[in-house]
Amino acid sequence: MDSPDAAKRSGSDRITPRKYDSAGSRAALMSAAARCFGKYGYDGTSIRDIAKAADVDAALVYRYFGSKQGLFEAVAHHASALFEPLRHLPLEDVPDWILRLAFDGPGEDEIPHPVLTMLRSPSREEAVARLRSDVTEIFSEHFARRLDGPDAQVRAELLAAWALGMTLMRLAVQTPALSSVPDSAVLPYVRKAVDPLLRPCDEREETNRACRCGRGGE
Amino acid sequence: MDSPDAAKRSGSDRITPRKYDSAGSRAALMSAAARCFGKYGYDGTSIRDIAKAADVDAALVYRYFGSKQGLFEAVAHHASALFEPLRHLPLEDVPDWILRLAFDGPGEDEIPHPVLTMLRSPSREEAVARLRSDVTEIFSEHFARRLDGPDAQVRAELLAAWALGMTLMRLAVQTPALSSVPDSAVLPYVRKAVDPLLRPCDEREETNRACRCGRGGE
DNA sequence: GTCTATACTGTGATAGAC
DNA sequence: GTCTATCACAGTATAGAC
């Protein structure tokens, strides 16, 4: 944790106080902060941790972001950006999109999934509240209106639950199959499991429903 | 949070250093710790927070549990206890059980869901690792062996993902419908969505389908 | 713009009085 | 068994030198 070369000096020497590159320092801080907050949560990461990971002085956090909270706000992206496409997505594309929602996110070293960051930062109540309102607005309200039949809101939230569960199994629990397998191996099952949620009831056209296994495009 | 009667004195006075009730103090600490760790995570909870919530002196934590980590270990129950019934559960009962897994857990003020506690305590790496190994052992390994057809491990983990997603939508994201509706309103949809994961392929009763996947035995 | 030094608070942990 | 006092340190944050 405190290895001698932790600072990762630029090879030779470094008497000058780094380059004078405010934009670079700012970006480095934000990148490191996103990683740390996502991995260890808000309370589990200190300003010094972030600064060290960014190879930048800790005081710069306060210069550029005012406080630890300010930095968190700056890097805790709204989850709404992830969910936005659902607004105008044809219903038949929803299963595939749900799958990508869970599988497209970066792996481990890159910028972490915003939902994971918020779940791991329960003390940032505003961030959790924002996640709740984002999910509610897009799934429970907007998308539910596009669903025919009863219990539309429940079904819409079950859809979100499905995506959330797969995401966390991959990124947080890191279960062997889901975190290693390509999304193509999961797609058919997601399609079949999500499908009943999108239809009004069970079998409205039992003959036509037949087998979607063979077809389904691609 | 700091109301004058927060201490909840036993009615009249309290000059004596509480009752001499080691078992009671111990239990109060464990109960408060479970709540706090579940709500705010390991790093978001201090020993003094727990002691105050339990109306017990903070030093007793070290007397009874040795350290903060010790207390966490004592209250961070193995998730395996929750999953254990899956081992000998008839396949047709699995959908209902999955639902109860997500809906039976206590609401908000009682002892929180162990999975939520672990997700919110990323710095207790052993706890997270134990959750992973529990899920892996019971779902990916044991239960997957009971599933016919290909991709049994993926399907078993998708089942776990489904339960995890519903649980977190209710307890962490607190989405309006799922966190208020009774489980009976969700049951039919969970049944239909989970069902395809339990069967080898697509159709269950329609035998004359032109499904290219293997045949649905049974 | 960058870094050092430091103030101040909160935290985990311990010793010892009662 | 319970509680007070306290230590050593990590944490956020600020002031100011360079």
Side-chain angles (χ1 to χ4, degrees):
Chain A
M1 273 147 210
D2 216 355
S3 71
D5 82 301
K8 193 211 282 181
R9 277 77 202 287
S10 50
S12 50
D13 52 353
R14 179 134 149 284
I15 301 99
T16 45
R18 193 196 179 85
K19 290 187 310 184
Y20 279 66
D21 173 15
S22 88
S25 297
R26 214 183 121 92
L29 280 174
M30 290 185 66
S31 169
R35 275 198 308 274
C36 293
F37 284 142
K39 224 172 185 172
Y40 309 109
Y42 181 83
D43 292 314
T45 82
S46 73
I47 294 277
R48 291 180 172 97
D49 289 338
I50 297 170
K52 182 169 291 186
D55 190 22
V56 159
D57 191 274
L60 296 184
V61 168
Y62 301 96
R63 176 161 194 77
Y64 295 134
F65 303 97
S67 66
K68 185 185 179 183
Q69 290 192 22
L71 178 54
F72 183 82
E73 299 298 326
V75 301
H77 305 84
H78 294 214
S80 60
L82 279 177
F83 306 148
E84 205 61 38
L86 183 61
R87 290 189 189 276
H88 306 101
L89 198 70
L91 281 190
E92 64 262 28
D93 292 339
V94 166
D96 295 46
W97 177 79
I98 285 286
L99 182 74
R100 276 202 306 276
L101 197 59
F103 274 75
D104 262 10
E108 188 168 338
D109 294 329
E110 314 177 43
I111 170 173
H113 203 292
V115 170
L116 192 54
T117 303
M118 292 176 194
L119 284 177
R120 282 176 174 165
S121 305
S123 62
R124 305 301 331 125
E125 299 178 16
E126 32 148 274
V128 178
R130 204 171 51 203
L131 170 63
R132 168 164 43 249
S133 74
D134 285 347
V135 172
T136 300
E137 208 275 314
I138 296 194
F139 281 88
S140 314
E141 295 175 0
H142 187 277
F143 183 73
R145 280 197 288 271
R146 297 172 56 193
L147 293 178
D148 293 333
D151 306 317
Q153 203 177 15
V154 167
R155 286 152 58 206
E157 291 183 11
L158 284 177
L159 199 79
W162 181 262
L164 177 62
M166 282 194 295
T167 301
L168 291 181
M169 285 290 281
R170 273 174 42 81
L171 302 182
V173 185
Q174 292 182 351
T175 226
L178 280 186
S179 51
S180 69
V181 137
D183 57 353
S184 60
V186 190
L187 182 54
Y189 300 103
V190 173
R191 279 203 185 129
K192 273 173 219 131
V194 162
D195 206 54
L197 298 176
L198 301 176
R199 329 188 146 268
C201 192
D202 192 2
E203 39 258 322
R204 64 173 187 188
E205 31 189 67
E206 23 194 330
T207 55
N208 197 6
R209 206 162 98 75
C211 179
R212 302 168 56 86
C213 187
R215 332 180 45 243
E218 302 70 355
Chain B
M1 267 142 211
D2 216 355
S3 71
D5 82 300
K8 193 211 283 182
R9 276 80 201 283
S10 50
S12 49
D13 52 354
R14 179 135 149 282
I15 301 100
T16 45
R18 194 194 177 87
K19 288 187 313 184
Y20 279 65
D21 173 16
S22 88
S25 296
R26 210 177 122 84
L29 280 174
M30 289 186 68
S31 169
R35 274 198 310 275
C36 291
F37 285 142
K39 225 172 185 171
Y40 310 109
Y42 182 83
D43 292 314
T45 306
S46 74
I47 295 277
R48 292 176 172 91
D49 289 338
I50 297 170
K52 181 169 291 186
D55 190 20
V56 159
D57 193 273
L60 296 185
V61 168
Y62 300 96
R63 177 158 193 75
Y64 294 135
F65 303 96
S67 66
K68 185 186 180 185
Q69 290 191 22
L71 178 52
F72 183 83
E73 299 299 327
V75 300
H77 305 85
H78 295 215
S80 60
L82 280 175
F83 306 148
E84 205 61 39
L86 183 62
R87 289 188 188 277
H88 305 104
L89 198 69
L91 280 190
E92 63 264 27
D93 293 339
V94 166
D96 296 48
W97 177 79
I98 285 284
L99 183 75
R100 276 202 304 277
L101 197 60
F103 274 76
D104 262 10
E108 186 168 342
D109 294 330
E110 315 177 42
I111 170 174
H113 203 290
V115 170
L116 192 53
T117 302
M118 292 176 193
L119 285 178
R120 282 176 174 164
S121 306
S123 63
R124 305 305 325 129
E125 299 177 17
E126 30 148 274
V128 178
R130 203 171 51 203
L131 171 63
R132 168 165 41 250
S133 74
D134 286 346
V135 173
T136 299
E137 207 276 314
I138 296 195
F139 281 87
S140 315
E141 294 175 1
H142 187 277
F143 182 73
R145 278 196 290 270
R146 297 172 55 194
L147 293 177
D148 292 333
D151 305 317
Q153 202 177 16
V154 167
R155 287 152 57 206
E157 291 184 10
L158 285 177
L159 199 79
W162 182 261
L164 176 62
M166 283 193 296
T167 300
L168 292 180
M169 285 291 279
R170 272 174 44 80
L171 302 181
V173 185
Q174 291 184 350
T175 223
L178 280 186
S179 51
S180 68
V181 137
D183 58 351
S184 60
V186 190
L187 182 54
Y189 300 103
V190 173
R191 279 206 185 122
K192 274 174 217 126
V194 162
D195 205 56
L197 298 176
L198 300 177
R199 338 197 135 263
C201 189
D202 196 1
E203 308 301 335
R204 57 178 186 188
E205 338 199 294
E206 317 266 333
T207 54
N208 63 346
R209 283 304 140 220
C211 183
R212 72 175 159 114
C213 313
R215 36 191 285 86
E218 183 180 13

